[in-house]
Amino acid sequence: MTTRLYYSDSYLTEFDARVVDRADDGRRVYLDRTAFYPTSGGQPNDTGSLGGAAVRDVIDEGERIAHVLDAPLRGDTVWGRIDWRRRFDHMQQHTGQHLLSAVVADLFGWETVSVHFGADVSTLDVNVPQVTADEVAQAERRANEIVFENRPVAVSYEDAASASGLRKASAREGTLRIVSIEHLDRSACGGTHVRATGEIGPILIGRIDKVRQSARLEFVCGMRAVGRARADHDAVSRLAQVLSAAPNEVGDLVVRQSTRLKEAESRVRQLETELAAHVARERYEAAEPDAAGVRRVVERRTSGSLDELRPLALATISLPRAVFVGAVDAPAPAVLVAASEDSGFDAGSALRAALADAGGRGGGSARLAQGTLPSPAALDRALAAMGADSLGLGARAP
Ligand SMILES: [Zn+2]
């Protein structure tokens, strides 16, 4: 059985121990005692070094703790050192979570249903479907007030049968390890915690997501909160510079500009439609009707997309007995065929036949069809197959 030194002293960073067992050619080591915290209760494992080898993983096997090393360990006694920066960061996130869970329970009666400590952010799921921005701000403010009060965080051992006042009843029997924040919280927990709330550092709540029937609050504590605030500040400053505005005006300004952009886009679409109607009429009137009285408008562009040709196609086939053939050469050779209902022309079957000859792909209805071709030369062949090369623009030289 491994003695867990972090239970009694979460600030212990170096320790001596005896090797009691090893596996994996000395890469998996068991000690009589350890300060290395194994992944458990949502808190990630410590890293560090053991007898000169790097500790990659620490696994709780129940009675014993396994240390997974990057190199075989020799000798019967070892000296170990944990990566304190990583551990202290975990202690801050973990104690911050106890504090935040207690604060939202006291303020709003929310119960914490699950927690997760991630490499970047941690999350807290509470048993309400929705959380407002105002509630987030209140909880964050109250949590930070308790940080500034620097309340003691203490560990005690009590019998499960008589332990009272726990925020969440424990399913364990026998002795419970209870972590208390003075006048705020008592929780059964086996993790590592800071000794006073001041060491948690600032607590910042991030985005809120709905997860099934719960709300998930993202949060960061300590240096992570400072880092997040710095990154957010830099991002807003860059935006402010681009927009030539003060940082506190950026939000409103972006909303106003986004509304104006939508209005401008809608105006552009309207003008495109009007222009297409005008051009279609002009091109239609210039086209010679064939024996059946059908006029063909052909539009070939060296570059662009079929979407850009669509307004002209639709405007053309709104005219009587009209067929429209549009093509673009680059970046991808493509063709669009449209026919008015009274033209007697089936755009879909005409296109399919032309594509089959030229090795292209596509399809559509009798009114509107489109396809792509493997090369500009294939596009030439497809247009020729529909007789579009002898009308207006003609095919390019091979
Ligand atoms: Zn804990």
Side-chain angles (χ1 to χ4, degrees):
M1 183 152 176
T2 314
T3 300
R4 300 168 188 239
L5 298 170
Y6 54 82
Y7 270 170
S8 45
D9 185 1
S10 58
Y11 286 81
L12 183 68
T13 59
E14 298 179 14
F15 65 103
D16 290 306
R18 205 162 46 76
V19 177
V20 296
D21 199 3
R22 61 187 94 212
D24 256 357
D25 289 331
R27 284 190 168 81
R28 192 179 184 96
V29 172
Y30 300 87
L31 308 173
D32 62 339
R33 56 190 212 149
T34 187
F36 280 94
Y37 186 81
T39 300
S40 51
Q43 183 179 330
N45 66 279
D46 288 333
T47 57
S49 65
L50 200 58
V55 177
R56 295 288 183 229
D57 197 6
V58 187
I59 300 158
D60 194 338
E61 295 182 354
E63 293 284 289
R64 304 199 300 178
I65 290 174
H67 304 76
V68 179
L69 311 177
D70 72 337
L73 185 73
R74 312 280 171 224
D76 293 330
T77 57
V78 282
W79 177 77
R81 184 168 66 187
I82 64 168
D83 178 341
W84 176 244
R85 248 174 99 123
R86 174 179 163 95
R87 158 66 81 74
F88 185 64
D89 169 67
H90 290 159
M91 283 159 57
Q92 289 179 307
Q93 313 310 316
H94 194 147
T95 317
Q97 177 266 309
H98 282 233
L99 196 159
L100 209 48
S101 286
V103 162
V104 297
D106 286 357
L107 284 179
F108 314 118
W110 301 343
E111 191 186 315
T112 297
V113 290
S114 73
V115 296
H116 173 75
F117 299 100
D120 298 318
V121 295
S122 302
T123 57
L124 190 79
D125 290 8
V126 291
N127 68 336
V128 284
Q130 223 163 5
V131 169
T132 66
D134 187 53
E135 287 167 332
V136 166
Q138 268 190 68
E140 190 179 75
R141 187 173 182 84
R142 185 71 193 124
N144 281 288
E145 279 171 0
I146 297 169
V147 166
F148 305 154
E149 288 167 12
N150 202 25
R151 298 192 194 180
V153 178
V155 174
S156 62
Y157 293 89
E158 296 176 29
D159 188 61
S162 58
S164 61
L166 294 178
R167 185 162 302 285
K168 202 172 185 176
S170 174
R172 286 170 184 265
E173 291 179 356
T175 305
L176 291 182
R177 184 174 187 264
I178 294 170
V179 178
S180 318
I181 301 174
E182 194 177 78
H183 305 313
L184 180 74
D185 186 56
R186 272 164 56 82
S187 293
C189 184
T192 57
H193 308 82
V194 296
R195 58 197 151 200
T197 56
E199 289 190 25
I200 295 169
I203 298 176
L204 191 64
I205 301 177
R207 54 181 291 175
I208 310 294
D209 287 309
K210 191 178 182 325
V211 180
R212 291 178 289 279
Q213 289 312 301
S214 305
R216 177 165 292 170
L217 283 69
E218 230 177 61
F219 70 96
V220 282
C221 305
M223 271 306 173
R224 293 196 196 192
V226 174
R228 171 60 68 89
R230 166 56 49 196
D232 289 352
H233 175 84
D234 289 350
V236 172
S237 296
R238 273 200 303 279
L239 274 175
Q241 204 176 5
V242 169
L243 296 169
S244 302
N248 64 343
E249 294 168 345
V250 164
D252 288 343
L253 189 60
V254 167
V255 170
R256 281 203 304 278
Q257 290 204 347
S258 151
T259 306
R260 275 168 53 190
L261 182 62
K262 280 200 193 93
E263 286 166 4
E265 281 171 348
S266 142
R267 182 80 183 127
V268 164
R269 276 194 298 276
Q270 188 192 340
L271 290 173
E272 273 175 353
T273 307
E274 284 173 25
L275 179 66
H278 184 77
V279 172
R281 166 70 64 183
E282 213 171 64
R283 300 283 296 278
Y284 176 84
E285 279 168 2
E288 278 297 317
D290 65 11
V294 172
R295 297 178 199 234
R296 293 186 175 214
V297 172
V298 179
E299 174 78 4
R300 184 168 186 177
R301 294 183 184 171
T302 50
S303 68
S305 73
L306 292 186
D307 282 344
E308 291 160 13
L309 289 174
R310 200 175 286 265
L312 185 58
L314 296 178
T316 304
I317 64 167
S318 70
L319 299 168
R321 295 189 177 182
V323 169
F324 176 88
V325 179
V328 292
D329 284 275
V335 60
L336 174 75
V337 186
S340 65
E341 201 152 356
D342 59 3
S343 66
F345 188 84
D346 185 326
S349 21
L351 178 76
R352 276 190 294 274
L355 290 176
D357 282 349
R361 302 171 59 159
S365 68
R367 297 282 72 78
L368 193 67
Q370 66 181 63
T372 55
L373 286 308
S375 66
L379 178 59
D380 290 343
R381 288 201 297 279
L383 293 176
M386 288 184 289
D389 58 337
S390 60
L391 290 148
L393 290 180
R396 297 166 341 119

